[in-house]
Amino acid sequence: MSRVLVLGAGELGLPILQSLSHLASTFPPSARPTITLLIRPTTLSSPSPSKSREIAHLRDLGISFLAADIATAAAKDLASHFEDFDIVVSCTGFAAGPGTQLKLAHAVCEAGVGHYYPWQFGVDYDIIGPNAANGIFREQCEVRRFLRGQEKTKWTIVSTGMFTSFLFEPFFGVVEGLETAGSAHEVVVRALGSWENKVTVTTPGDIGEVVSRLVLKDQRTGVLFTAGDTVSYRRLADLVEAKIGRKVLREVWSLDSLRAELQADPENQILKYRCLFAEAKGVSWHHASTVNMELNIKTTDVQGFLHSKGPAL
């Protein structure tokens, strides 16, 4: 019987918890994995009605709770929490602050956890390297180097590309105006670098399905890749036009112009992301080579994502 600890229940953590709970329920009672969520004490005792509903929902799924604050706890203290578990899945993203991912990796290995799934749910950091876009993913590269340099804990990295919804966030700037597409407002689709550049995207729900299968059934190690879809920006513009039934305004943000913006504002995280995707290295891969295809897990492509959102996002 595996004892699984999940760190975080946010945009990705929640669907992973739900998928783990569902898959665990198919095991015989004597071999059924246990799922525990590490959660801040303040969240667990929050008087907020929405938080209370979320906690109650997770309890109904058979999930247990471990109260601890990753942000303030030292690595050795986290290790003392982790040592009771066979598998740790980190869904604590970049919002946790710099140094958190490396601290978690050290704590997991110090605790002697058998298998670790770090927060690497993104692009191919091996190709991107530590210095791209003003070092936006330097810590992620350091986590990989640390895990490869130790032999105590097995690890699996699941590269997912961008969360599909992020591609349509107005602040990212690639698709703008779609949330008001039913009005007379113009919809703009912008290519980062060029119209031929591609990006791989996966929804958190699909990531949850893949990760739960890997954690409870497959348990392979190394760097794996998933994809809901891999699309060029030209194809993205075509799909948005099909969605709204009219032409969109098409613009290109060149790599040179984006680099100039980043040079003028070097700490701007969104500009770092735009530059990274405009460079088009390590941000896309073939759908046919993914673990979800190998495991026959159906995922949502961009067209399906747009269709699921109704008249507007």
Side-chain angles (χ1 to χ4, degrees), residues 185-264:
H185 292 89
E186 193 162 43
V187 176
V188 184
V189 177
R190 300 184 178 96
L192 299 180
S194 81
W195 288 111
E196 284 66 46
N197 283 351
K198 293 182 178 181
V199 57
T200 292
V201 295
T202 316
T203 68
D206 290 341
I207 297 169
E209 290 293 322
V210 172
V211 170
S212 64
R213 183 83 68 86
L214 292 171
V215 168
L216 298 183
K217 294 278 192 178
D218 192 88
Q219 298 183 345
R220 72 185 72 183
T221 60
V223 179
L224 309 177
F225 294 86
T226 70
D229 206 347
T230 296
V231 294
S232 68
Y233 292 102
R234 188 182 306 281
R235 171 66 174 157
L236 175 64
D238 292 343
L239 289 170
V240 172
E241 286 184 343
K243 164 74 175 177
I244 64 175
R246 66 176 191 270
K247 293 292 185 181
V248 300
L249 178 63
R250 301 187 183 214
E251 298 177 350
V252 177
W253 281 346
S254 71
L255 181 55
D256 286 344
S257 67
L258 289 170
R259 283 174 171 167
E261 286 187 60
L262 183 58
Q263 186 173 7

Side-chain angles (χ1 to χ4, degrees), residues 13-193:
L14 186 57
I16 284 180
L17 284 163
Q18 291 169 330
S19 293
L20 284 170
S21 171
H22 174 73
L23 187 55
S25 70
T26 66
F27 282 66
S30 61
R32 187 164 296 160
T34 62
I35 314 298
T36 302
L37 169 65
L38 188 144
I39 190 170
R40 287 192 187 99
T42 52
T43 302
L44 197 56
S45 60
S46 172
S48 164
S50 62
K51 286 295 180 185
S52 297
R53 286 193 296 271
E54 184 176 308
I55 296 297
H57 169 63
L58 293 172
R59 287 191 196 278
D60 289 342
L61 292 175
I63 293 165
S64 303
F65 298 93
L66 172 63
D69 192 334
I70 287 172
T72 59
K76 62 180 179 61
D77 297 321
L78 290 173
S80 68
H81 290 301
F82 296 165
E83 62 187 9
D84 292 329
F85 297 92
D86 306 302
I87 301 168
V88 173
V89 182
S90 177
C91 299
T92 301
F94 302 124
T100 301
Q101 307 306 326
L102 204 52
K103 177 172 71 172
L104 289 172
H106 280 277
V108 165
C109 294
E110 183 180 336
V113 172
H115 203 143
Y116 183 42
Y117 294 77
W119 176 269
Q120 295 263 323
F121 302 103
V123 290
D124 189 341
Y125 304 118
D126 287 332
I127 291 178
I128 289 169
N131 299 316
N134 289 6
I136 187 172
F137 292 132
R138 182 170 289 117
E139 185 176 353
Q140 297 298 81
C141 293
E142 290 175 358
V143 168
R144 292 192 179 203
R145 185 166 59 248
F146 169 74
L147 291 174
R148 285 169 170 148
Q150 58 82 44
E151 297 180 350
K152 181 182 286 187
T153 298
K154 294 188 297 182
W155 52 270
T156 302
I157 285 170
V158 184
S159 300
T160 63
M162 186 189 297
F163 288 3
T164 308
S165 59
F166 192 82
L167 194 58
F168 298 93
E169 290 287 355
F171 63 79
F172 190 44
V174 171
V175 180
E176 190 173 309
L178 192 56
E179 69 279 4
T180 56
S183 66
H185 292 89
E186 193 162 43
V187 176
V188 184
V189 177
R190 300 184 178 96
L192 299 180

